Amino acid sequence: MHSPISAAPPHPHPLLGRQPTFRGQQADEVVVALRRPALLALLLPGWPLWLGMLLLGGVVLGQTSGGLPGPVAATLSVPLALVTLASLFHWAVTHALPWWFRLGIVTNQRIIFSSGIIRARVADLPLETIQVVEVVQPNLIETLLGYGRVKVASGGGDPLIFTQIARPRAFAATITDAQGQHAAPRRPSPRVDDTTLHGVLERMGQGETLPPMPTLDPRLTRDWPLRHALALKLPADEIVLGMVSRHWWALAARAGGPLALIVGAALVALVGGW
């Protein structure tokens, strides 16, 4: 086993305070964010362990308070202790260790996903190749508990998928911020000895002023209450032309079954009360 993150000299960073390092880090590379899966994603699978500890503590408390006879307490405490130890071992091996070695790293040059204990799996994407940063919270439980999945895709190859990330929108915003602040290395311009060709290339390389863009139809642009859900920071020269949301029928079609059950239950309750 190896630790993918090691302590580093105290070079403070505005986001981390203390700068971590990792294996394979380049000389001019700075870690902007370091994330493991949400703590709740680690604690929830250990419910047999927490239940065993609670029951064992209740038996011990009953014995010490005199409410539970000694022979009964001894009979219950031994199997409960064995089950709790077995649950602890299972939780540590199958959940705690993989959680510790599962890392999402955002640097000023790339995005890195690292997982695995003995056979580590490391994949990365340079910031300049990222095209899509998508946040997915597939069910209501993850939405309520505040964690989800962040998918980072480039033009080619497999995307990087960070699952069970706490505050996934903030993590996605960190990636887009790092991408916005990253300047891709510029290749040196080729040398052209022909003066005529050089002049043509210079004229072609000069930027042109873009024409003003028309705004969207006001009926398509609404200052709706959930506008803060778009957690993106716009550059200084970027203008929002409008926001387009899905039609309300997209929500009504999915909510038809639950709404029918609620209305049916209400009708049954009214008829029963009458």
Side-chain angles (χ1 to χ4, degrees), residues 190-273:
R191 180 179 177 180
V192 180
D193 295 329
D194 191 324
T195 56
T196 304
L197 182 58
H198 181 75
V200 173
L201 293 176
E202 285 291 334
R203 288 193 299 272
M204 293 177 62
Q206 293 178 357
E208 298 181 358
T209 303
L210 296 176
M213 299 293 294
T215 57
L216 294 179
D217 190 332
R219 292 174 298 177
L220 301 177
T221 304
R222 305 183 186 278
D223 190 19
W224 59 310
L226 297 181
R227 63 186 184 275
H228 65 277
L230 188 63
L232 293 177
K233 293 184 179 179
L234 303 180
D237 56 347
E238 188 172 3
I239 301 175
V240 177
L241 300 178
M243 293 178 62
V244 179
S245 60
R246 300 175 66 184
H247 197 271
W248 62 268
W249 182 251
L251 175 62
R254 290 191 173 187
L259 287 177
L261 290 176
I262 293 174
V263 172
L267 291 176
V268 171
L270 288 176
V271 171

Side-chain angles (χ1 to χ4, degrees), residues 102-232:
R102 192 172 175 182
L103 294 167
I105 306 172
V106 181
T107 75
N108 61 338
Q109 298 181 12
R110 53 182 172 158
I111 312 298
I112 305 169
F113 174 75
S114 175
S115 64
I117 303 175
I118 299 176
R119 300 178 61 180
R121 173 180 173 265
V122 180
D124 66 338
L125 282 178
L127 290 176
E128 61 269 14
T129 65
I130 295 176
Q131 294 185 355
V132 178
V133 180
E134 181 183 5
V135 177
V136 180
Q137 289 177 301
N139 53 61
L140 182 61
I141 299 299
E142 293 192 2
T143 302
L144 294 177
L145 295 180
Y147 65 88
R149 181 175 61 187
V150 177
K151 179 180 178 181
V152 184
S154 64
D158 297 331
L160 297 184
I161 301 178
F162 303 90
T163 58
Q164 298 177 332
I165 293 292
R167 293 177 289 112
R169 295 187 182 275
F171 185 62
T174 300
I175 295 176
T176 55
D177 289 346
Q179 186 182 20
Q181 297 175 6
H182 172 71
R186 300 184 58 183
R187 298 180 180 178
S189 302
R191 180 179 177 180
V192 180
D193 295 329
D194 191 324
T195 56
T196 304
L197 182 58
H198 181 75
V200 173
L201 293 176
E202 285 291 334
R203 288 193 299 272
M204 293 177 62
Q206 293 178 357
E208 298 181 358
T209 303
L210 296 176
M213 299 293 294
T215 57
L216 294 179
D217 190 332
R219 292 174 298 177
L220 301 177
T221 304
R222 305 183 186 278
D223 190 19
W224 59 310
L226 297 181
R227 63 186 184 275
H228 65 277
L230 188 63
L232 293 177

